[in-house]
Amino acid sequence: KQEVTQIPAALSVPEGENLVLNCSFTDSAIYNLQWFRQDPGKGLTSLLLIQSSQREQTSGRLNASLDKSSGRSTLYIAASQPGDSATYLCAVSNSGYSTLTFGKGTMLLVSP
Amino acid sequence: ETGVTQTPRHLVMGMTNKKSLKCEQHLGHNAMYWYKQSAKKPLELMFVYNFKEQTENNSVPSRFSPECPNSSHLFLHLHTLQPEDSALYLCASSSLRGSEQYFGPGTRLTVT
């Protein structure tokens, strides 16, 4: 059974810092990996989707990498801003028809 | 409206009540999902519908009853719930089962 772990559970940084969020998964035979953002009490917003054949994806200040063999992904946020404060969730799919397995998330607070 | 919408956004119900949650997607997708998000736990998949057919029921108690009349609408009928069912219920859709998922804002359910 696939298990997804996110470290750290919470992170607090001053504005402007670059930061890395970590995601690990136990079954490396994944189909794709998705990073989401969730604001308090709200739904999820998809940030980046990495297919198993890809090593990284970039969107603006966000860069996600994938190392399938070691079962790890990182989300890099450059020049963090207070508006980046949210919970970041990592989720993996194990086949083209399987559903997502989520981690518990990393709660990020960026202070001005 | 665009994206995935959910109504109501907030719901308080007694254990003997019957209520329904509604999800609608305006993305032309064919797969729809119900998730439960409780405090301190990862998102839990409840049900998956693919082309209006239920393809996955993740051992959900029968007091939760899904309905998918067409590819754009998904309902979750609730009856005789327990206080531990209080959670954020999220709906998602994707073009195909297993592809990138788009989430609604959720319904915050409180069972008293």
Side-chain angles (χ1 to χ4, degrees), chain A:
Chain A
K1 179 187 170 187
Q2 178 73 273
E3 292 184 5
V4 179
T5 303
Q6 291 188 245
I7 295 174
L11 181 63
S12 181
V13 300
E15 182 177 7
E17 271 201 13
N18 302 324
L19 56 100
V20 174
L21 308 181
N22 297 290
C23 172
S24 61
F25 42 94
T26 54
D27 183 351
S28 62
I30 66 168
Y31 182 74
N32 61 41
L33 181 145
Q34 221 170 328
W35 282 96
F36 293 89
R37 168 190 172 135
Q38 185 176 29
D39 293 287
K42 302 287 181 64
L44 278 63
T45 301
S46 180
L47 297 173
L48 291 163
L49 172 73
I50 310 177
Q51 301 292 351
S52 62
S53 58
Q54 298 175 316
R55 294 299 298 267
E56 66 178 331
Q57 281 282 0
T58 298
S59 176
R61 294 182 293 107
L62 305 179
N63 176 278
S65 68
L66 174 64
D67 184 342
K68 232 176 56 161
S69 60
S70 67
R72 294 175 192 238
S73 175
T74 61
L75 179 66
Y76 174 83
I77 303 177
S80 59
Q81 303 170 357
D84 295 329
S85 299
T87 296
Y88 290 81
L89 295 161
C90 168
V92 299
S93 172
N94 273 92
S95 77
Y97 292 96
S98 75
T99 49
L100 294 172
T101 302
F102 282 84
K104 291 184 179 181
T106 294
M107 187 182 302
L108 173 65
L109 176 64
V110 182
S111 51

Side-chain angles (χ1 to χ4, degrees), chain B residues 23-64:
Chain B
C23 175
E24 184 173 0
Q25 57 95 1
H26 307 268
L27 300 168
H29 289 166
N30 295 303
M32 297 187 78
Y33 312 77
W34 277 118
Y35 288 90
K36 175 183 179 182
Q37 188 176 35
S38 306
K40 309 295 184 186
K41 294 173 73 174
L43 264 79
E44 300 172 76
L45 177 70
M46 300 176 73
F47 302 103
V48 181
Y49 277 81
N50 197 40
F51 292 94
K52 301 187 299 177
E53 299 297 321
Q54 187 180 125
T55 55
E56 197 159 338
N57 176 335
N58 209 22
S59 303
V60 180
S62 59
R63 57 186 185 270
F64 295 91

